[in-house]
Amino acid sequence: MLVLPSELTHEQASACLRMLVQGLKVLKGPEVVVDASALAVFDSSALAVLLECRREALSDRKAFVVKGLPAALVGMAGLYGVDGLLQVAD
């Protein structure tokens, strides 16, 4: 399982994405799960990071699931029309 930090804004986005993609490459199995439950401070960059991570997972033929996504980020995804791209697990 990959884990998002407590803060993911534009400032942390590049480093966080590099970390996630590195982790994705070593994960075995058909599914990539990202735990977003620690995420407390974020902006739209968090969505960009998740969508890029999803793209990387799909290119490796792995399913992509986000667990513990904050309600405000779910709302933001809906506002931007990308909520259908993120499979959210409880």
Side-chain angles (χ1 to χ4, degrees):
M1 180 181 313
L2 303 175
V3 180
L4 292 182
S6 61
E7 185 173 339
L8 180 49
T9 62
H10 180 74
E11 190 173 316
Q12 299 87 16
S14 293
C16 182
L17 180 59
R18 278 192 304 274
M19 176 197 67
L20 291 172
V21 170
Q22 263 185 329
L24 189 145
K25 298 298 181 191
V26 298
L27 286 178
K28 303 298 178 207
E31 181 177 77
V32 174
V33 178
V34 175
D35 183 355
S37 58
L39 198 56
V41 178
F42 54 86
D43 61 16
S44 60
S45 298
L47 286 177
V49 166
L50 288 170
L51 291 171
E52 180 61 20
C53 190
R54 175 188 179 268
R55 190 189 70 72
E56 290 284 336
L58 294 178
S59 75
D60 284 347
R61 294 193 160 110
K62 296 178 181 180
F64 183 79
V65 178
V66 182
K67 175 180 139 182
L69 198 62
L73 197 52
V74 171
M76 191 184 298
L79 183 67
Y80 289 125
V82 297
D83 51 330
L85 298 176
L86 295 175
Q87 182 179 348
V88 179
D90 293 328

